[in-house]
Amino acid sequence: MVDPDAPNPSNPTLREYLHWMVTDIPASTDDSFGRELITYESPSPTMGIHRIVVVLYQQLGRGTVFAPQVRQNFNMRNFARRFNLGKPVAAMYFNCQRQTGTGGRRFT
């Protein structure tokens, strides 16, 4: 799960910011979850509307993917290429922005 608009959509110098990474997700319907390589960090944009992108790749085998060292300036395409993940099998995104009333321009 990445934010390609970090720290703000007009100047995304931290693009892509990695919010979450899970590997070894089983292809079953039981309660097993997978291996969380990067713990979940909720999106908290300071300004503008951010796109949060979730992408699913199919791994060739368990334990074949290793955690990146940093969250900022993560490159999903390079990561997928490095670990031979191929093209995504599913993707989705949602928009988020700072909650109204927590900052920004004030009119009186």
Side-chain angles (χ1 to χ4, degrees):
M1 182 172 123
V2 296
D3 178 355
D5 301 320
N8 70 67
S10 300
N11 188 21
T13 58
L14 300 179
R15 137 188 332 163
E16 302 165 272
Y17 189 86
L18 182 61
H19 282 276
W20 193 36
M21 181 180 285
V22 178
T23 64
D24 303 330
I25 300 170
S28 64
T29 56
D30 63 10
D31 61 355
S32 58
F33 180 78
R35 186 170 59 123
E36 191 175 49
L37 290 184
I38 301 294
T39 58
Y40 178 77
E41 182 179 306
S42 65
S44 56
T46 56
M47 65 185 311
I49 297 172
H50 290 240
R51 298 164 294 165
I52 305 300
V53 182
V54 180
V55 180
L56 181 68
Y57 291 92
Q58 182 176 0
Q59 280 178 254
L60 297 177
R62 288 185 167 270
T64 59
V65 176
F66 301 98
Q69 299 298 313
V70 295
R71 289 179 182 260
Q72 68 274 6
N73 297 316
F74 178 74
N75 187 306
M76 193 178 310
R77 286 183 181 157
N78 289 346
F79 188 83
R81 193 175 305 120
R82 179 179 176 200
F83 291 103
N84 198 27
L85 297 177
K87 295 184 186 258
V89 295
M92 56 128 325
Y93 82 97
F94 60 90
N95 293 328
C96 72
Q97 68 185 50
R98 189 173 187 170
Q99 190 173 18
T100 306
T102 59
R105 185 181 244 175
R106 303 233 190 258
F107 298 96
T108 56

